[in-house]
């Protein structure tokens, strides 16, 4: 059975004239797929369209045999969606709210519902706080609760939009582990502007900007393709301005008063530059740099 999500020629212009999606085409296989792009790239517009919450002007989306734009009810049955921010009822206990969501999802049999709710609380590591009210939850606990509700219908497609923003490192780690467990056999789309999230989790990714796909594929291959092309140099403030004019400066880091720059070059450059091992952040910043400058 074909479980791919296929997006073809998707375009969307909002009423204020902003073109958020511009002939966007992408094929997403099962596993955790990273959708990486800066703020304003069009990620949320794409996520909302896939989640059947808004209509595109043009293009098609299919999930296996389902036409996502026409068969909204069929999509909703197999979709788990964790939006960027979602309202939680602060005075309700976790278990009670999850049970309520399970009723809304159509799990009418009481015994079955109890068992589904309990197993999801265990899976998301929230069982021991199941009788706590949601206002007492940390950011990470809220996100894990969001995943629990997204998993209620045993979805084939899960969309998580900027899930780790604001989480501390251990909560982020725990959230990553949870996504890895879910990722087997399910399409999980992780929309993020955090390169590290994609590096740690995704075997497939797309870099997007200005409503378009700039690069698509396996992160390691993309990194290998930059071998012998990324240089680094520590420069003064005056040199920094000069370098910006002369080179493709992908990243600038201020470290103890010194500027460390990362440069892309097809040709060998000396001039005090040191060849460095490329990383996924170089792949990302190179794509964004090219799309902003050409
Ligand atoms: P991302 O999730 O990558 O930050 P968005 O899809 O939220 O990107 O936004 C893409 C562009 O569309 C941005 O310029 C944003 O301001 C604009 N935009 C998003 N939603 C709306 C809307 N409802 N009405 C008008 N413009 C919007």
């Amino acid at each position: 059975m074909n479980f791919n999500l296929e997006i073809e020629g998707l375009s969307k212009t909002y009423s204020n004239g902003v073109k958020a999606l511009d002939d966007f085409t992408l094929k997403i296989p099962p596993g955790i797929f990273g959708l990486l792009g800066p703020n304003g790239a069009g990620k949320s517009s794409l996520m909302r369209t896939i989640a059947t919450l808004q209509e595109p002007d043009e293009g098609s989306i299919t999930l296996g045999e389902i036409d996502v734009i026409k068969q909204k009810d069929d999509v909703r049955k197999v979709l788990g969606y964790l939006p960027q921010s979602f309202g939680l009822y602060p005075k309700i206990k976790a278990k009670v709210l999850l049970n309520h969501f399970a009723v809304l999802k159509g799990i009418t049999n009481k015994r079955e519902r109890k068992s589904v709710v309990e197993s999801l609380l265990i899976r998301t590591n929230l069982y021991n706080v199941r009788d706590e009210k949601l206002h007492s939850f940390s950011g990470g606990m809220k996100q894990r609760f969001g995943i629990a509700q997204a998993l209620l219908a045993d979805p084939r497609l899960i969309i998580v939009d900027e899930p780790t923003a604001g989480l501390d490192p251990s909560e982020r780690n725990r959230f990553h582990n949870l996504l890895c467990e879910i990722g087997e056999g399910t399409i999980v789309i992780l929309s993020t502007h955090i390169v590290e999230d994609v590096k740690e989790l995704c075997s497939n990714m797309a870099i997007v900007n200005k409503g378009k796909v700039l690069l698509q594929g396996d992160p390691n291959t993309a990194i290998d393709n930059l071998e012998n092309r990324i240089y680094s140099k520590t420069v003064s403030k005056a040199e920094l301005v000069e370098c910006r004019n002369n080179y493709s400066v992908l990243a600038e880091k201020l470290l103890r008063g010194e500027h460390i720059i990362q440069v892309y070059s097809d040709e060998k450059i000396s001039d005090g530059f040191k060849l460095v091992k490329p990383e996924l952040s170089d792949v990302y910043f190179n794509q964004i740099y090219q799309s902003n400058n050409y």
Side-chain angles (χ1 to χ4, degrees), residues 14 16 18 20 38-45 48:
Y14 289 110
N16 59 359
V18 173
N39 285 331
K43 303 184 297 297
S44 294
S45 298
R48 288 196 301 266

Side-chain angles (χ1 to χ4, degrees), residues 41-78:
K43 303 184 297 297
S44 294
S45 298
L46 178 69
M47 300 295 100
R48 288 196 301 266
T49 313
I50 299 170
T52 73
L53 299 174
Q54 71 180 43
E55 298 275 339
D57 301 329
E58 273 176 72
S60 66
I61 309 176
T62 52
L63 173 65
E65 304 303 312
I66 305 173
D67 179 330
V68 172
I69 293 160
K70 291 202 183 110
Q71 298 168 263
K72 291 191 172 53
D73 286 342
D74 293 328
V75 179
R76 288 171 192 160
K77 279 184 205 139
V78 296

Side-chain angles (χ1 to χ4, degrees), residues 176-217:
H176 278 185
N177 290 339
L178 182 58
L179 284 186
C180 282
E181 278 172 33
I182 299 167
E184 287 170 27
T186 311
I187 300 174
V188 179
I189 307 177
L190 171 71
S191 160
T192 183
H193 63 271
I194 303 171
V195 177
E196 293 297 309
D197 283 350
V198 175
K199 190 173 146 191
E200 288 171 21
L201 292 171
C202 305
S203 48
N204 257 302
M205 64 159 191
I207 296 176
V208 299
N209 197 18
K210 300 176 182 171
K212 282 185 176 296
V213 178
L214 306 178
L215 178 146
Q216 168 182 4

Side-chain angles (χ1 to χ4, degrees), residues 52-278:
T52 73
L53 299 174
Q54 71 180 43
E55 298 275 339
D57 301 329
E58 273 176 72
S60 66
I61 309 176
T62 52
L63 173 65
E65 304 303 312
I66 305 173
D67 179 330
V68 172
I69 293 160
K70 291 202 183 110
Q71 298 168 263
K72 291 191 172 53
D73 286 342
D74 293 328
V75 179
R76 288 171 192 160
K77 279 184 205 139
V78 296
L79 170 78
Y81 180 43
L82 180 59
Q84 235 172 57
S85 58
F86 56 100
L88 285 176
Y89 303 87
K91 291 186 180 158
I92 301 183
K93 293 174 184 170
K95 189 174 83 180
V96 174
L97 187 57
L98 196 57
N99 183 64
H100 178 67
F101 284 142
V103 174
L104 296 180
K105 271 280 178 190
I107 309 175
T108 47
N109 181 297
K110 208 171 167 183
R111 193 177 301 163
E112 183 196 346
R113 200 164 62 236
K114 186 168 184 286
S115 142
V116 168
V117 165
E118 286 194 354
S119 75
L120 281 176
L121 288 168
I122 292 168
R123 203 163 158 199
T124 50
N125 218 342
L126 291 171
Y127 190 74
N128 57 352
V129 290
R130 64 194 180 283
D131 289 321
E132 310 266 327
K133 291 178 181 164
L134 287 149
H135 70 80
S136 70
F137 276 20
S138 67
M141 288 157 84
K142 282 182 184 150
Q143 288 297 58
R144 278 184 278 130
F145 184 83
I147 286 288
Q149 67 81 24
L151 286 176
L152 269 171
D154 198 13
R156 278 166 59 184
L157 169 65
I158 296 183
I159 295 174
V160 280
D161 201 352
E162 303 274 356
T164 62
L167 298 194
D168 71 32
S170 68
E171 279 177 337
R172 191 168 150 261
N173 216 358
R174 190 173 266 185
F175 191 78
H176 278 185
N177 290 339
L178 182 58
L179 284 186
C180 282
E181 278 172 33
I182 299 167
E184 287 170 27
T186 311
I187 300 174
V188 179
I189 307 177
L190 171 71
S191 160
T192 183
H193 63 271
I194 303 171
V195 177
E196 293 297 309
D197 283 350
V198 175
K199 190 173 146 191
E200 288 171 21
L201 292 171
C202 305
S203 48
N204 257 302
M205 64 159 191
I207 296 176
V208 299
N209 197 18
K210 300 176 182 171
K212 282 185 176 296
V213 178
L214 306 178
L215 178 146
Q216 168 182 4
D218 149 37
N220 289 327
T221 308
I223 294 171
D224 290 347
N225 288 340
L226 284 188
E227 202 67 57
N228 296 322
R229 288 188 167 85
I230 302 296
Y231 294 82
S232 176
K233 188 181 179 183
T234 305
V235 294
S236 66
K237 207 168 174 187
E239 278 179 289
L240 176 64
V241 177
E242 200 182 314
C243 284
R244 279 190 201 139
N245 291 332
N246 295 338
Y247 300 108
S248 305
V249 178
L250 304 185
E252 301 170 10
K253 211 164 36 183
L254 195 59
L255 195 68
R256 288 183 218 97
E258 292 188 311
H259 298 271
I260 301 172
I261 57 169
Q262 203 88 339
V263 162
Y264 172 92
S265 177
D266 283 326
E267 284 148 31
K268 190 170 168 14
I269 45 173
S270 39
D271 199 16
F273 280 97
K274 195 173 72 188
L275 195 61
V276 293
K277 214 173 159 29

